[in-house]
Amino acid sequence: MESVVLSIPPSPPPGPGRPWPPRPPQPGWGPPPGYGPQPPALNGFALASLLAGLLCFPPLGIAFGAAALVQIAKKGDRGRALAITGLVVSVLMTGVMVFAVGRVTEAVGARLDGLSAYTEVEGELRDVDDMKAGDCFNVPGGDLFEEQPLLYAVDCSRAHHGEVTASRTLGAADAPGASGADRAAEDACWKAQDEYAMDTWALPEFAEMFYFGPSRESWRQGDRKLLCVIGTTEEEWRGSLRRDAGMLRPEQAAFLRAANAVEFVLSRPPEGDVDDALGRHQAWAREMHAVLGEEAKVLQQDAARPGLEAAAPAQLKEIEVARAAWQRASQARTGVEFERLWDRARAAMSPETEKALRGAYGLSTQIPPWLEDGPEGTEDPTGEGGRGPSSEAV
């Protein structure tokens, strides 16, 4: 019996039971796997722009960002937001880079200019903390007004710009910006100079008092050094200006110490108008009365010394008149009265009388410019009848 192959499955038998499987669908033609519609590609310049702006060379990032935007507009690539971000970042970083390069160039230029000046400075570079009284030094360009000067130590027999009179450590009350700190530093250096070069009349006219103190920044870093200096930058100067008590006869040192105290107090009147600060001016007048009294004691002891028989009594007579005026000024009730008595006290002391006295002591008789005009002159360099070498805070 011949077998028969059915091409169509027979109908399922009636009744319950498992159904025949349905005929599978015939396969149709379609695209191969992976060849369906694809999203636009990410533009490479957009990513390169951001990376270059952040990590590499910002100007190159600007070029990449611009190129990315052009290509995205033409080809429809993805990454427009990324390209814009990269462009903005690159522009900002380019600005920062230009600023930084400018600052570095300026600093390097200043450094090179400074180095060219330093090569012309004679001496050995020395730290400020290592300088002590008696040391002489040079500074680049002879500029003692530099905030942080470089000091080149040199023997005092050679030409130099400055000579140290004192080196001191400051306390917490002398911090930069503290009330009265500048005045205190200046006063300390004036007194140090008066002990270092006691015969103030013997100092050259161009010699000035300077001091170098900590800045606010260096103070925070532990700097506490105050360096007092006699500056001689206006003219070439050789040799030391030191003439302290150890280099003088005892009677010379005693007289100069008393006379310098008078000069110091006279040159440091209170700040402000007399009418607004009458009380402080009265206290100053009492101080003047006291220091003149100390000078009078020294002269009374020396009046019998050979050569001082005439000069000492003449100075004592003037001191007596001046002290009386200062005493009355300390009790003045108005500013006008105080100024009148102030002028009277100044007029009582004659530079010529002191010149004769200093000559009798064997000291300099060259009247300094700040006394040449006399107490009644109109060209008093200090404006207060005090000594004239200026004090400069650096």
Side-chain angles (χ1 to χ4, degrees):
M1 185 173 179
E2 186 178 0
S3 62
V4 179
V5 179
L6 299 176
S7 61
I8 298 176
S11 300
R18 186 173 181 180
W20 291 94
R23 183 179 181 180
Q26 296 296 323
W29 293 103
Y35 282 84
Q38 297 294 318
L42 176 65
N43 188 277
F45 281 121
L47 180 60
S49 173
L50 182 60
L51 295 177
L54 288 174
L55 306 175
C56 184
F57 189 60
L60 189 60
I62 295 176
F64 285 161
L69 291 176
V70 171
Q71 289 188 358
I72 290 171
K74 289 182 177 180
K75 300 180 179 180
D77 293 343
R78 289 185 298 116
R80 177 179 175 81
L82 184 62
I84 294 175
T85 301
L87 186 60
V88 171
V89 169
S90 297
V91 169
L92 293 177
M93 294 302 293
T94 298
V96 172
M97 185 183 70
V98 170
F99 176 76
V101 170
R103 292 296 298 271
V104 170
T105 302
E106 180 180 349
V108 170
R111 182 67 177 172
L112 292 176
D113 291 341
L115 289 175
S116 64
Y118 302 157
T119 58
E120 302 173 1
V121 181
E122 181 180 359
E124 177 186 354
L125 184 62
R126 186 83 59 82
D127 190 88
V128 172
D129 289 343
D130 297 331
M131 301 294 288
K132 61 184 183 301
D135 288 343
C136 295
F137 63 89
N138 288 314
V139 292
D143 187 3
L144 287 172
F145 287 96
E146 283 289 335
E147 184 175 353
Q148 296 178 343
L150 293 178
L151 307 184
Y152 288 77
V154 66
D155 191 276
C156 292
S157 62
R158 307 179 72 88
H160 54 271
H161 298 137
E163 184 171 353
V164 179
T165 61
S167 177
R168 300 183 177 180
T169 301
L170 298 174
D174 302 315
S179 177
D182 289 341
R183 175 96 171 197
E186 190 173 341
D187 287 352
C189 286
W190 268 127
K191 292 177 180 179
Q193 180 168 304
D194 285 346
E195 286 295 319
Y196 185 88
M198 297 189 75
D199 191 355
T200 58
W201 286 27
L203 288 172
E205 180 179 343
F206 53 84
E208 294 184 303
M209 191 277 282
F210 290 79
Y211 66 88
F212 302 106
S215 64
R216 292 177 185 268
E217 181 179 356
S218 66
W219 181 273
R220 289 192 293 268
Q221 297 171 354
D223 182 12
R224 299 293 185 272
K225 188 65 66 177
L226 173 66
L227 200 69
C228 305
V229 170
I230 301 178
T232 53
T233 59
E234 292 188 11
E235 295 186 25
E236 186 174 286
W237 179 258
R238 299 174 185 270
S240 175
L241 293 169
R242 188 170 200 160
R243 200 176 183 196
D244 56 20
M247 305 169 69
L248 299 166
R249 299 196 305 270
E251 66 273 15
Q252 290 176 323
F255 164 71
L256 288 174
R257 189 167 284 117
N260 288 345
V262 173
E263 288 182 356
F264 175 79
V265 176
L266 184 62
S267 66
R268 309 296 282 168
E271 297 178 355
D273 187 76
V274 177
D275 289 320
D276 298 331
L278 182 58
R280 292 199 299 270
H281 281 79
Q282 289 172 332
W284 175 57
R286 289 191 291 271
E287 192 175 1
M288 280 300 305
H289 182 269
V291 292
L292 283 170
E294 293 300 317
E295 182 178 351
K297 291 178 183 179
V298 173
L299 294 178
Q300 288 167 355
Q301 294 174 357
D302 292 345
R305 288 183 180 275
L308 290 170
E309 302 92 336
Q315 183 79 350
L316 281 168
K317 184 178 180 180
E318 293 186 357
I319 288 177
E320 182 180 357
V321 176
R323 291 190 74 207
W326 284 117
Q327 186 175 29
R328 292 181 60 188
S330 68
Q331 302 169 354
R333 297 183 178 181
T334 65
V336 173
E337 181 184 2
F338 184 94
E339 290 180 340
R340 177 174 57 82
L341 292 167
W342 181 359
D343 289 340
R344 181 179 300 179
R346 292 171 56 194
M349 305 291 291
S350 167
E352 292 297 332
T353 303
E354 186 169 356
K355 175 181 177 179
L357 178 64
R358 286 174 176 261
Y361 272 109
L363 302 169
S364 174
T365 57
Q366 180 64 45
I367 299 177
W370 37 277
L371 285 177
E372 283 182 341
D373 294 308
E376 294 298 337
T378 58
E379 299 298 329
D380 178 13
T382 64
E384 295 145 359
R387 52 186 169 183
S390 64
S391 55
E392 307 293 351
V394 179

